[in-house]
Amino acid sequence: MTINNYKFAGKKAIVRVDFNVPLDENGNITDDTRIRGALPTLKKILEEGGSLIIMSHMGKPKGKVNPKFSLAQIKDAVAAALGRDVKFAEDCANAADAVAALQPGEVLLLENLRFYPEEEGKPVGIDKEDPAYEVAKKEMKESQKAFAKTLASYADCYVNDAFGTAHRKHASTAVIADSFGDDDKMLGYLMEKEVQAVDNILSDIKRPFTAIMGGSKVSTKIGIIENLMDKVDNLILCGGMTYTFAKAQGGKIGLSICEDDKLDLALDIMKKAQEKGVNLVLGSDCIAGDKFSNDANTQVVSSMDIPEGWEGMDAGPVTRESFANVIRTAKTILWNGPAGVFEFDNFSGGSKAIAEAIVEATENGAFSLVGGGDSVACVNKFGLADKVSYVSTGGGALLEAIEGKVLPGVAAIKG
Ligand code: AMP
């Protein structure tokens, strides 16, 4: 079923959203992107005369009730975004009465799903090495099914609009779908858009295809880097992983971050790129700082010859230009991970140069997908989010989808 075809009038819809929004120490939302992202789906259901049961996780309460992660803190913000009252169920697994009282057009927000260990389906309090772990895991899978059935019992149909958790086989993201027939379960609009954006990158590739992978470590990106190697024409590797590559090639990297156990891997990536005819672009110069701080003293140095006591913290001017030249001519672009410590304004120039080149390419007809928390934070910081083709809400889910893995949250609905 698709959300556009389903008739929500008079129906109760349980919708999994990703309202895992960042909060400050007073419980105020500091970035409501995720709430805004789910609005088209939620509004469609309400405007058609359906009633809405919203479920989400927040943070990592590890299967225990913890007020710090209570969704009660965001109830008013959700109400304001929807322009309607929102009722709140303090116990997501005992909300049958509140659900029964729900009238068409009304909204019920369930308390954090992860207050129950059944949501994630992992045994808590038992070490993985403990012989009892496997038994506990089996038992937990059964309780997870029961928990998912309870959630399913609240509604006539199930909508999954939480792309951020689509790579997890949790009660609310996948297992619950087993309780609904194909005609009563569907992806929400945000999920549809995310799946489409990934599809554009994977199957409808206009060339040249340029991927820009940055961030701190090569180890967390290796799966996607290897996968992209079969698809891209140009692969720009930047950010902290630059220095693992520099050291692997015999460079001096001072205090720059480096994964010493990944030096062989770095050389292997370089070799594979050559074998596959991929243009691997690494930075040649960098802005080094004498401390990890925005007000560090800086100098532009070769990425292969960073002085003792200094660390590479951003791409240098020559590198920026070489990245931008490759990006400007691309027709398909994927960006994940910043080119430097962009949180410090004085080290955000490299990431900004990338963002600006992506915008230019997009204006010239490229499809550009920016995803993963930090690159999204980058385009937001530079005010360029609406000038790229698509900004994904998914971090891990996006990377897994692009690696070609089947996302349990999508498979549970689409088969
Ligand atoms: P990731 O979560 O792996 O995408 O990494 C994002 C983080 O990498 C950001 O917080 C950046 O500050 C950090 N980062 C990028 N370049 C560097 C660098 N040269 N040195 C240290 N951290 C970096």
Side-chain angles (χ1 to χ4, degrees), residues 67-345:
K68 206 175 122 197
F69 300 115
S70 174
L71 286 171
Q73 299 170 98
I74 67 161
K75 179 174 101 72
D76 292 345
V78 176
L82 287 172
R84 326 196 165 209
D85 275 355
V86 170
K87 300 176 199 296
F88 188 69
E90 283 174 14
D91 181 348
C92 63
N94 286 292
D97 290 347
V99 167
L102 211 56
Q103 297 300 313
E106 288 188 344
V107 186
L108 176 71
L109 174 65
L110 302 183
E111 181 56 289
N112 194 341
L113 297 159
R114 290 194 190 165
F115 284 179
Y116 280 87
E118 286 83 355
E119 165 62 359
E120 294 182 79
K122 278 188 280 190
V124 275
I126 294 195
D127 197 84
K128 272 194 177 154
E129 306 304 316
D130 191 319
Y133 183 82
E134 280 309 309
V135 179
K137 200 169 133 190
K138 262 196 193 136
E139 281 171 7
M140 178 50 88
K141 286 287 161 211
E142 287 310 307
S143 333
Q144 185 184 48
K145 280 187 200 158
F147 178 69
K149 275 197 177 131
T150 301
L151 297 173
S153 71
Y154 299 155
D156 302 300
C157 64
Y158 167 64
V159 183
N160 189 352
D161 214 17
F163 185 69
T165 47
H167 57 318
R168 306 281 181 224
K169 194 172 178 187
H170 291 170
S172 67
T173 61
V175 184
I176 185 173
D178 293 343
S179 298
F180 294 91
D182 287 345
D183 290 343
D184 294 314
K185 56 186 170 189
M186 65 217 86
L187 302 180
Y189 286 122
L190 179 63
M191 275 282 248
E192 280 186 349
K193 272 202 302 187
E194 297 274 6
V195 169
Q196 182 59 49
V198 171
D199 202 50
N200 281 345
I201 288 283
L202 290 184
S203 59
D204 185 18
I205 303 173
K206 295 189 182 59
R207 297 197 176 272
F209 179 4
T210 296
I212 307 128
M213 303 299 297
S216 54
K217 294 175 174 173
V218 63
S219 55
T220 53
K221 307 273 162 94
I222 183 63
I224 182 149
I225 289 174
E226 287 189 331
N227 185 271
L228 285 170
M229 206 83 88
D230 290 323
K231 301 188 173 74
V232 297
D233 303 292
N234 305 299
L235 179 59
I236 294 175
L237 296 181
C238 56
M241 67 176 102
T242 307
Y243 310 100
T244 302
F245 282 84
K247 188 165 179 183
Q249 295 172 84
K252 289 199 209 112
I253 59 163
L255 295 176
S256 310
I257 56 167
C258 177
E259 290 174 283
D260 282 318
D261 58 338
K262 297 289 177 292
L263 301 179
D264 288 344
L265 179 69
L267 293 176
D268 194 45
I269 290 172
M270 294 179 78
K271 191 164 146 245
K272 274 199 188 128
Q274 205 174 19
E275 283 164 9
K276 290 179 191 273
V278 171
N279 175 30
L280 183 71
V281 190
L282 284 160
S284 57
D285 64 344
C286 67
I287 314 260
D290 61 353
K291 58 180 174 182
F292 193 76
S293 156
N294 188 44
D295 55 17
N297 293 309
T298 61
Q299 56 174 318
V300 176
V301 292
S302 157
S303 306
M304 296 287 282
D305 196 10
I306 299 172
E308 285 297 318
W310 292 70
E311 62 182 300
M313 287 168 69
D314 196 9
V318 176
T319 298
R320 290 179 199 182
E321 199 44 38
S322 75
F323 288 177
N325 282 338
V326 173
I327 295 168
R328 275 192 209 109
T329 55
K331 285 284 170 263
T332 303
I333 301 170
L334 170 70
W335 182 23
N336 175 274
V341 189
F342 77 100
E343 296 92 334
F344 298 151
D345 286 348

